[in-house]
Amino acid sequence: MKATKVTAPAIRSRKGGDNPVTMLTCYDYSFGRILDRTKIDILLVGDSLGMVVQGHENSLSVTMDEMVYHCRLVTRAVQRALVVADMPFLSFQVSTEDAVRNAGRLVKEGGAEAIKLEGGAAVKETIEAITRAGIPVMAHLGLTPQSVHQMGGFKIQREEERLVEEARAIDQTEAFSLVLEGIPGRIAARITREIDMPTIGIGAGPDCDGQVLVLHDVLGLYHGKSPRFSKRFANLGELTESAAEAFIEEVKRGDFPGEEHTFK
Ligand code: KIV
C-alpha cells in the first residue's frame, strides 16, 4: 500500500496530539531514498549543511544556489515525507521582495514543499508575504544559528518573556509550525502550551509537539563536536572507517577482486 504523502496542513493539524512530529535533516539523494522508506514526517534541507557537509564553522556562508542544489538532490529521491528547505543567511533579511523570490526559487528550482526561516516578530511580515505567495513556512526561534555572532556563540537562549513574546508573534502568522532550538525545556513547554501551532524542538526538552535532529549527529558522521542536546543513534563514521580498512587489507593481500568480481 502506498504511504500517505505528508503535507504542511497535515503537520499543522498535529498540534497537541499523541503522535509527535519527527523531522531529520537530509542533504542528498542517497539519504533521501533511505529516510523516505522510514516513517519520518519531515526532511529538512537545513543550512546546517554548511557545517556537516561543507566543513565550515557555521552556516553563514551557505548560498541560495547551494541550497537549491541540495534541495534538488533530496526532492529527486523523496516521495512521501514533506521536504522543507532552509532560507540561508541574507536570503530573506534584506527585503520582503528578496525573501519571496528566494523562497520561490527553493520551491520552483529545488522542488521544496515548504521553507524554514529563522527569527521572531522581526520576520512576521516576511512570513506573511511568503505564505501569501502560496508557500508554507516553518518558523525557527531560540538559538538561531544565523545569529551566532549576535548571540556571542552557539548559546542556550534563556530570556523567557522575550521568547514567549516572539512565539506569540509567530503564532499570529500563517506559519504551519515553529522550531524551538536551544532553550530550556520549561520555556519550550510553556510556549507549546500557549500557542496554537505545533512546536518542533531541538535542545528544547520533551514537551514540544515534535522533535528534530541533524542527521550527521544521529548517524555519528559529524567530524566536529555535536551539541549536548543531540543523540547518536548509530556510528556510521566508525563503520565507514572499518569498511575502508577492510577494502585496503583485501587489496594488499590480493583477496580482492576475487573470481566472482572478474569478467571471463
Ligand atoms: O539547519 C538545520 O539543520 C536546522 C535544524 C537544526 C533545525 O535549522
Side-chain angles (χ1 to χ4, degrees):
M1 205 177 69
K2 211 173 161 218
T4 314
K5 174 83 188 105
V6 183
T7 63
I11 297 296
R12 177 70 184 77
S13 72
R14 299 261 292 271
K15 176 74 188 175
D18 52 6
N19 181 19
V21 175
T22 55
M23 173 159 96
L24 282 171
T25 62
C26 184
Y27 316 102
D28 68 17
Y29 180 84
S30 317
F31 280 116
R33 292 269 318 220
I34 297 169
L35 294 171
D36 203 38
R37 294 203 295 262
T38 72
K39 294 193 181 76
I40 196 80
D41 292 309
I42 307 175
L43 291 176
L44 170 68
V45 186
D47 62 353
S48 50
L49 70 86
M51 298 167 80
V52 301
V53 177
Q54 298 176 332
H56 294 295
E57 275 183 16
N58 55 51
S59 57
L60 297 180
S61 59
V62 176
T63 66
M64 267 306 298
D65 285 346
E66 288 166 347
M67 287 307 301
V68 168
Y69 170 77
H70 283 277
C71 217
R72 270 202 200 123
L73 305 187
V74 173
T75 56
R76 200 170 293 148
V78 174
Q79 292 179 354
R80 186 198 49 78
L82 176 71
V83 179
V84 179
D86 246 338
M87 299 280 290
F89 181 55
L90 282 198
S91 68
F92 63 94
Q93 291 93 337
V94 178
S95 72
T96 310
E97 204 176 299
D98 251 17
V100 176
R101 195 166 287 121
N102 284 324
R105 278 195 69 195
L106 292 169
V107 173
K108 210 167 169 173
E109 300 172 42
E113 296 155 325
I115 62 93
K116 173 168 85 55
L117 52 77
E118 295 182 8
V123 294
K124 217 177 136 184
E125 262 176 49
T126 310
I127 293 176
E128 276 157 2
I130 295 173
T131 52
R132 259 200 312 276
I135 302 170
V137 174
M138 176 182 279
H140 185 163
L141 270 184
L143 192 176
T144 43
Q146 290 176 15
S147 308
V148 58
H149 297 311
Q150 198 173 43
M151 294 180 299
F154 294 106
K155 292 189 176 150
I156 302 302
Q157 301 298 295
R158 299 176 185 278
E159 297 160 72
E160 179 162 350
E161 294 314 317
R162 178 184 64 82
L163 288 165
V164 171
E165 276 315 301
E166 303 275 24
R168 285 197 183 123
I170 296 293
D171 203 33
Q172 286 163 8
T173 70
E174 293 291 312
F176 71 96
S177 56
L178 169 63
V179 168
L180 294 175
E181 177 167 358
I183 66 174
R186 183 182 47 79
I187 303 179
R190 176 173 166 199
I191 291 174
T192 302
R193 264 194 322 274
E194 291 188 11
I195 69 171
D196 288 331
M197 68 179 63
T199 58
I200 304 178
I202 174 164
D207 295 317
C208 296
D209 298 300
Q211 296 290 329
V212 51
L213 282 178
V214 169
L215 185 66
H216 284 50
D217 292 332
V218 169
L219 298 182
L221 282 174
Y222 183 44
H223 54 278
K225 191 171 176 291
S226 292
R228 193 192 121 197
F229 56 68
S230 74
K231 179 170 173 182
R232 181 184 286 182
F233 288 82
N235 198 339
L236 295 201
E238 260 175 42
L239 274 181
T240 307
E241 219 177 303
S242 39
E245 295 292 4
F247 164 71
I248 295 162
E249 271 301 300
E250 288 202 16
V251 170
K252 293 208 189 286
R253 279 203 311 264
D255 289 348
F256 180 83
E259 242 180 75
E260 69 277 31
H261 309 112
T262 308
F263 297 108
K264 297 270 185 262

